[in-house]
């Protein structure tokens, strides 16, 4: 399965803001985006005026890297969004939010989406009582997500749950922290996404 294997801190620096790809490290003074707030490379500190295309491309790259997916899959999501009624950009973000790995991260079971992806791949979560090990699985309204009973003793999961105890899940998820059970109560909306993404620039890029 194709995935990015390079230094993730370079991605944050290239996009000019934190993408929270390293979990709790992103909240410490070790964060590379804070220590070196300029793009990587020998010309990273040079100034240049970005073209319209460059702005659109950067916005698309930012969204891809934030959700941890590659180009072909991202393009597929855009095609899916463009076939649905409504604003294509907002529908695209709703689809990205509905991925199972993102849902696991939003519920606080992992410190980063990369960690959530690994947990899903290893079969630690059930959807409607069945094990799902596909990170790109799209959850739908009414689905129940639970932590596998055999996985509840894992130190990584317990430490993540404890560290994220104060994190509030988005409005489209109902979460019982004691039972470790969540229900998808609605479709994710634009208001549920607090990360600054200008989705219209992505639409303009793919519409050329």
């Amino acid at each position: 399965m194709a995935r990015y294997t390079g230094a993730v801190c370079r991605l944050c620096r290239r996009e000019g803001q934190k993408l929270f790809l390293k979990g709790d490290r992103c909240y410490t003074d070790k964060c590379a985006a804070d220590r070196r707030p300029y793009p990587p490379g020998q010309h990273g500190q040079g100034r240049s005026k970005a073209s319209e295309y460059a702005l659109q491309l950067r916005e698309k790259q930012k969204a891809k890297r934030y959700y941890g997916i590659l180009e072909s899959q991202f393009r597929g999501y855009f095609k899916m969004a463009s076939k649905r009624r409504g604003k294509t950009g907002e529908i695209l973000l709703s689809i990205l939010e509905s991925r199972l790995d993102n849902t696991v991260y939003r519920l606080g079971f992992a410190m980063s989406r990369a960690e959530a992806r690994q947990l899903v791949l290893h079969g630690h979560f059930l959807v409607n009582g069945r094990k799902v090990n596909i990170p790109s699985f799209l959850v739908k309204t009414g689905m129940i997500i639970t932590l596998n009973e055999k996985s509840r003793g894992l130190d990584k999961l317990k430490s993540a749950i404890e560290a994220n105890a104060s994190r509030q899940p988005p409005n489209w998820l109902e979460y019982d922290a004691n039972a470790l059970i969540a229900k998808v109560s609605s479709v994710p909306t634009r208001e549920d996404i607090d990360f600054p993404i200008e989705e219209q620039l992505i639409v303009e890029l793919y519409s050329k």
Side-chain angles (χ1 to χ4, degrees):
M1 184 179 294
R3 62 187 178 91
Y4 176 78
T5 57
V8 295
C9 290
R10 287 177 62 89
L11 303 183
C12 295
R13 292 177 58 207
R14 184 63 189 87
E15 303 309 330
Q17 64 187 107
K18 290 186 180 184
L19 302 178
F20 301 98
L21 304 177
K22 295 280 284 186
D24 53 354
R25 183 187 177 94
C26 298
Y27 299 94
T28 69
D29 56 6
K30 294 182 180 180
C31 176
D34 287 338
R35 296 172 62 185
R36 290 176 288 175
Y38 49 84
Q42 62 178 344
H43 302 299
Q45 298 186 65
R47 294 185 179 182
S48 61
K49 184 178 180 180
S51 65
E52 179 183 358
Y53 173 77
L55 292 174
Q56 295 168 349
L57 179 63
R58 290 267 57 84
E59 210 62 27
K60 186 258 292 183
Q61 294 293 84
K62 184 202 303 181
K64 279 173 46 184
R65 290 163 174 176
Y66 182 63
Y67 286 102
I69 57 180
L70 300 181
E71 177 62 33
S72 59
Q73 196 168 29
F74 191 86
R75 186 179 291 274
Y77 287 139
F78 181 83
K79 289 181 179 178
M80 186 189 303
S82 64
K83 294 178 181 179
R84 298 184 184 179
R85 289 187 177 182
K87 296 181 178 180
T88 300
E90 293 185 5
I91 296 173
L92 172 63
L93 294 182
S94 178
I95 292 172
L96 294 171
E97 276 289 301
S98 299
R99 284 173 55 98
L100 182 56
D101 56 356
N102 178 74
T103 304
V104 167
Y105 170 72
R106 291 291 195 192
L107 290 169
F109 289 116
M111 298 303 295
S112 67
R113 286 179 178 79
E115 187 174 287
R117 176 187 178 90
Q118 185 181 50
L119 291 172
V120 173
L121 281 170
H122 290 175
H124 293 300
F125 293 91
L126 309 177
V127 178
N128 289 346
R130 295 186 176 183
K131 182 173 72 174
V132 177
N133 60 359
I134 304 172
S136 61
F137 178 86
L138 299 179
V139 299
K140 298 178 180 179
T141 302
M143 287 185 172
I144 305 296
I145 301 161
T146 56
L147 179 61
N148 195 323
E149 194 68 35
K150 295 180 181 179
S151 305
R152 301 195 175 202
L154 290 178
D155 291 338
K156 178 183 287 189
L157 276 164
K158 289 195 295 184
S159 61
I161 292 170
E162 183 178 346
N164 294 320
S166 61
R167 181 197 293 180
Q168 292 296 319
N171 295 328
W172 57 280
L173 291 171
E174 296 177 4
Y175 179 49
D176 184 338
N178 295 319
L180 300 178
I181 297 175
K183 178 181 179 180
V184 182
S185 57
S186 63
V187 176
T189 65
R190 183 64 184 87
E191 290 70 31
D192 293 318
I193 304 168
D194 54 5
F195 187 73
I197 298 176
E198 295 185 47
E199 64 274 10
Q200 186 56 34
L201 292 177
I202 302 174
V203 176
E204 292 171 1
L205 177 67
Y206 280 123
S207 298
K208 291 182 176 180

